[in-house]
Amino acid sequence: MDEHHEHHAEKQSPLGIPLPVLLTVVALLCLVIGFFASSLMRPPTQPSGGATPTPSIDALQLQSKVATYLTDMLASQGAQGVVVQGTSTSVENGMYAVNVSIIQDGQVVQKATTYVSLDGKNLFIGQILDLTTPFPKPTPVPTVAIPKTAKPEAQMFVMSFCPYGQQAEVGVGPAQEALGDSITVEPHFVIYGKDYYAGAEEQYCIANTSLCSLHGVNEANEDGRQACIWKYQQPKWWKYVAYVNENCTVDDIETCWKTAANATGVNATAVEQCFAEEGVALLEADAALNGEMEVTGSPTLFINGVIYSGGRAAEDFKDAFCSAFTKQPAACNMTLSEAQEAASGSCG
């Protein structure tokens, strides 16, 4: 599936914002304010004749000044345990280029280059682009053919409240129903470790575990309940999930799930018992499978071991599943609804 991550890959601040993004956003705000406030933020101009001026500021002092300023700026935005350190300074394009490392809890989480005017007064954060050099053409990603088998197997990794994962479920469900027992489609859940949420475990992680989810602990709990329904009440799983996707939110799921269970014939008492006794183990197994199959985002769909990267309408999924048969069943000749927008995107 096309990749457009909602967010997550990088180390995050206690605000839930990746530190490099936080740094860039705050810096851009500072630049915009400065632009309208005074002429102090005017970018330096190249000297006549193209000669590079001799630096007149002590490099170590400049590194320290930049690092202290950025550290204080991050702290003012709520970042905790974050320190910016200057690593080197040079002169580029008529400005000082100061390389910095962003450190959280003693670990470097991002490196960046900042620019300072030659008078040492103005700080610029961003990348200098050479307008005379065209961007290189992207290298096409080779398409991997899905191997054919008598009974294809698919693994669908989602987060229960990732909108893109729910979109995939809306498409995969009818395709799986049309093909019936001729194909196996197993749902799994995208789980993150508690290291991503240091200091905010109560908000994102199941208590006393390292099982966390991008949209909060309510989502992690619902992932566990859905894993239980798949294990013990599998024929009702797709209808239950469709009801949850249509009627529940991550904020009300702790009560709404029982309404969904009643509406779709799921035994809620059995789900509660399974969740209490096996929920953690089921999600730990999925977390291990995430690592084994290198899954980091929702949705991720494997068909016979190959990642699917096509559209998300039911017809798209049906065609992909049918391409994996050595001998296609008659259901492959059916046409499913194509009304669903085959959008791209993922959480994680």
Side-chain angles (χ1 to χ4, degrees):
M1 297 184 185
D2 294 337
E3 293 296 323
H4 174 71
H5 298 304
E6 183 174 323
H7 73 281
H8 196 281
E10 297 173 307
K11 189 83 171 181
Q12 300 198 2
S13 74
L15 298 177
I17 303 172
L19 291 175
V21 175
L22 176 61
L23 177 59
T24 302
V25 170
V26 173
L28 288 175
L29 288 175
C30 292
L31 290 178
V32 171
I33 293 171
F35 176 82
F36 288 103
S38 72
S39 61
L40 288 178
M41 295 302 292
R42 288 197 304 269
T45 57
Q46 288 278 11
S48 59
T52 300
T54 302
S56 58
I57 297 176
D58 182 89
L60 292 178
Q61 289 182 355
L62 182 60
Q63 287 173 208
S64 177
K65 184 177 181 180
V66 170
T68 300
Y69 184 87
L70 294 178
T71 298
D72 291 345
M73 185 170 64
L74 286 171
S76 72
Q77 299 300 310
Q80 300 176 3
V82 180
V83 176
V84 179
Q85 289 185 353
T87 58
S88 64
T89 301
S90 60
V91 176
E92 298 178 8
N93 300 303
M95 289 183 283
Y96 290 105
V98 180
N99 294 314
V100 298
S101 293
I102 304 170
I103 300 171
Q104 184 174 42
D105 300 327
Q107 184 177 16
V108 176
V109 296
Q110 182 75 7
K111 294 182 179 180
T113 300
T114 65
Y115 298 91
V116 180
S117 59
L118 291 177
D119 59 8
K121 294 181 179 180
N122 302 314
L123 173 65
F124 303 88
I125 299 177
Q127 181 181 4
I128 295 179
L129 300 178
D130 183 355
L131 296 178
T132 66
T133 303
F135 280 104
K137 294 182 179 180
T139 303
V141 178
T143 301
V144 179
I146 298 174
K148 298 180 183 296
T149 57
K151 184 175 183 178
E153 295 183 355
Q155 294 84 31
M156 178 182 67
F157 291 82
V158 295
M159 303 170 190
S160 54
F161 285 99
C162 168
Y164 305 111
Q166 291 181 339
Q167 180 192 53
E169 290 169 341
V170 169
V172 170
Q176 189 278 330
E177 183 179 9
L179 295 170
D181 293 338
S182 63
I183 186 172
T184 299
V185 180
E186 292 182 352
H188 296 279
F189 299 94
V190 180
I191 305 297
Y192 296 121
K194 65 180 180 180
D195 289 346
Y196 285 108
Y197 302 104
E201 292 90 344
E202 289 186 7
Q203 183 179 352
Y204 292 96
C205 310
I206 296 175
N208 302 314
T209 75
S210 185
L211 301 170
C212 312
S213 199
L214 182 62
H215 302 97
V217 65
N218 286 358
E219 179 176 62
N221 289 336
E222 178 59 14
D223 290 349
R225 286 189 290 265
Q226 291 188 14
C228 284
I229 294 171
W230 179 257
K231 181 174 182 179
Y232 291 111
Q233 304 180 62
Q234 192 172 125
K236 301 173 182 178
W237 191 89
W238 287 101
K239 288 185 178 180
Y240 170 84
V241 167
Y243 187 98
V244 168
N245 291 350
E246 183 69 24
N247 299 283
C248 303
T249 69
V250 71
D251 294 323
D252 68 15
I253 189 59
E254 292 304 310
T255 54
C256 188
W257 81 267
K258 288 190 175 181
T259 303
N262 291 334
T264 56
V266 169
N267 185 327
T269 301
V271 173
E272 289 177 318
Q273 181 178 351
C274 169
F275 182 76
E277 298 176 357
E278 303 177 56
V280 169
L282 290 173
L283 292 183
E284 285 178 340
D286 271 358
L289 192 59
N290 287 185
E292 179 183 332
M293 302 186 76
E294 299 183 350
V295 173
T296 59
S298 165
T300 302
L301 177 68
F302 292 87
I303 304 175
N304 284 346
V306 173
I307 291 182
Y308 170 73
S309 58
R312 293 181 186 167
E315 184 71 7
D316 295 323
F317 288 117
K318 187 214 72 177
D319 288 345
F321 292 149
C322 287
S323 72
F325 284 98
T326 51
K327 183 179 180 180
Q328 293 186 356
C332 287
N333 296 321
M334 297 173 55
T335 299
L336 304 180
S337 172
E338 298 182 2
Q340 179 191 1
E341 179 69 21
S344 64
S346 70
C347 304

